Amino acid sequence: MPKYLAVAETLQKLILEGDIEPGARLPSVRSAMRRFGVSKNTLIAAYAHLEMGGAISVKDRSGYYVARERDNESARAPYIIDHPLSLVEQKGQDILNDLATLRSRQGYDLLSPMLDPKLLPQGMVSRTARKILAEDLRACLTPDFGPGYRPLRRALAGYYRAREISADDRDFVTTLGCTHALVSAVEASTAPGDTIAIRTPTFYPLLRIIHSLNRKIIEIPSTANRARDLERLEEAIERFNVRACFVSVSLPDPYGASLSDVDKRHLLDLAERFDLAMIEDDVFGHVSVRNKMMRPLKAFDQTGRVLHCSSFSKTLGSGLRVGWCMPGRYAKAMQNVRSIVAPAMPVFEQALIARLLESASFGTHVGELKLNVRQNIQTLQNALGDGLLAGSHLTSKDGGLLAWVRLPAGTSATAIYKAALERNVAVAPGGMYSLADRFDDHIRLFLGIETHNFRRALSILARPTGRLPSQLP
């Protein structure tokens, strides 16, 4: 664990256990440096981490203070989504329209989570595709009416066993991409009118889809205080008769730290106690820049309550519309739901992914993709250090393909988004990942961009003649 996180966790524990009272002043930077035996930069980073989560606040020329619970109640409380569907859809449609205009001008899109064409493994895919078509064209043109192309399901089982998840080919149902898997999982595990708890920020189109399926949404906003987040979730489950939870342990949030293995086990304990389905989106879990790949919630599932959904759209390219679900106890319902939309699955794309998974070239491609991501993280850190978005700082740098940047107090991510568009660069305003319009003090950047293009996009934002202001209304 980085030193600053260790210091932050120690202070957080003292606050939660009441050793430091709400409203109390924290030790000065100098005295805390001596107490914890760390550098000034480490101590300031620890305080900044706690400030991001709302645990402490800073007062000019006075120091750091423990926040009072009432000051953060509205930011932490679960939020019942009860907007008309037309308004929910319009929020996303406005951004889609902006992106269409940006692409027509050949701008730089750091918002959409689609791999840069320069990062796609075109040679590897082309060679494999030609070989498959030459060997058995007829089989590739014949639809698959079962739970999925068996060679792909076998290849996926081997891939997941390498991730320490017990699996065989019978555990998978293939789908038309990860979004299709998630929608099918919602329909297989819940009924119209049921309530689903969703930890935000999350995949925004899914919020629209769940709303359109006539499911109620309880939004649980993430904070740096993971223990309190889980308490909020449990309170919401009891109060609002929640029937399912949507989780993504591989999706980074503005507070950097991910769910620990202890937190994952706690989620599954909640699932058992309250008879819940856990719908997991792991589409970003295949490209991790951590030394050890994060284990998804499914790795801890002993009773089949997790419907684990994923695809390689963020690894091999969004055009390969093949996803899958490991539905556990909901397998029969999952197959029935999928058969309504896709009674027959295309074989060629499934065969292609199966061959790619079994090839050593797949691991080489993922390694090169991770290297590109690490370079982009360093580029972003350097740009922020040189004054891009003055007063901002990177809050999640080990989240694989996504990075969150916290803006200075009083700066609107929506305003930054609009100003960036004027320079032909799209960045994601944090508010778009919450129907309650939270996280407008953060922007999210997609790192699956070729390093030269990424560096060029940041340089456009930082040009003296078109510099983004450090503070916007």
Side-chain angles (χ1 to χ4, degrees), residues 118-338:
K118 292 184 177 181
L119 298 180
L120 298 178
Q122 298 179 46
M124 177 179 73
V125 172
S126 177
R127 290 190 300 271
T128 306
R130 287 199 302 268
K131 187 174 182 180
I132 292 172
L133 293 173
E135 290 176 354
D136 200 345
L137 176 60
R138 183 174 181 177
C140 291
L141 298 179
T142 303
D144 166 39
F145 290 95
Y149 183 58
R150 192 170 186 184
L152 172 59
R153 291 187 285 121
R154 283 199 298 260
L156 287 171
Y159 174 79
Y160 274 89
R161 285 195 294 269
R163 296 180 72 188
E164 303 179 42
I165 300 174
S166 176
D168 63 39
D169 62 275
R170 294 169 295 179
D171 294 322
F172 296 87
V173 177
T174 62
T175 59
L176 299 172
C178 187
T179 300
H180 179 209
L182 292 167
V183 171
S184 298
V186 169
E187 294 192 287
S189 60
T190 63
D194 281 352
T195 299
I196 299 177
I198 299 181
R199 184 169 173 263
T200 57
T202 191
F203 177 50
Y204 180 74
L206 186 71
L207 296 172
R208 300 168 61 193
I209 291 167
I210 292 175
H211 203 340
S212 70
L213 292 174
N214 194 27
R215 270 68 169 177
K216 298 174 184 176
I217 298 175
I218 298 292
E219 184 177 321
I220 313 294
S222 62
T223 71
N225 187 341
R226 302 306 193 198
R228 188 59 178 136
D229 288 352
L230 289 172
E231 289 177 7
R232 296 280 184 178
L233 173 60
E234 185 170 349
E235 292 167 4
I237 291 170
E238 290 186 295
R239 181 179 176 187
F240 300 107
N241 191 29
V242 170
R243 302 306 311 139
C245 295
F246 177 81
V247 296
S248 180
V249 300
S250 63
L251 189 70
D253 65 33
Y255 306 102
S258 59
L259 289 178
S260 68
D261 289 353
V262 172
D263 293 334
K264 295 168 194 173
R265 292 189 178 94
H266 185 70
L267 279 174
L268 291 173
D269 287 343
L270 290 178
E272 288 298 320
R273 285 168 50 200
F274 294 100
D275 189 24
L276 305 176
M278 289 285 172
I279 302 169
E280 179 176 31
D281 177 5
D282 190 45
V283 73
F284 284 98
H286 309 293
V287 180
S288 170
V289 296
R290 292 180 173 88
N291 291 329
K292 185 176 181 180
M293 184 174 287
M294 183 189 301
R295 298 175 72 194
L297 188 65
K298 188 67 177 179
F300 302 85
D301 183 21
Q302 301 296 318
T303 59
R305 290 194 175 275
V306 178
L307 297 96
H308 175 91
C309 304
S310 194
S311 78
F312 288 125
S313 63
K314 315 305 179 194
T315 312
L316 295 172
S318 300
L320 288 174
R321 305 309 300 163
V322 176
W324 59 86
C325 180
M326 299 175 69
R329 64 172 62 191
Y330 306 96
K332 185 176 181 180
M334 180 75 185
Q335 292 185 45
N336 289 339
V337 169
R338 196 213 69 178

Side-chain angles (χ1 to χ4, degrees), residues 412-455:
S412 165
T414 302
I416 293 291
Y417 163 76
K418 293 178 179 178
L421 276 180
E422 293 178 1
R423 296 156 179 78
N424 281 342
V425 179
V427 298
M432 73 176 287
Y433 302 105
S434 158
L435 289 180
D437 292 320
R438 292 185 170 103
F439 312 108
D440 195 48
D441 55 347
H442 286 79
I443 60 172
R444 198 186 84 174
L445 303 176
F446 181 60
L447 301 174
I449 310 296
E450 191 272 330
T451 301
H452 175 75
N453 287 341
F454 188 77
R455 187 178 295 115

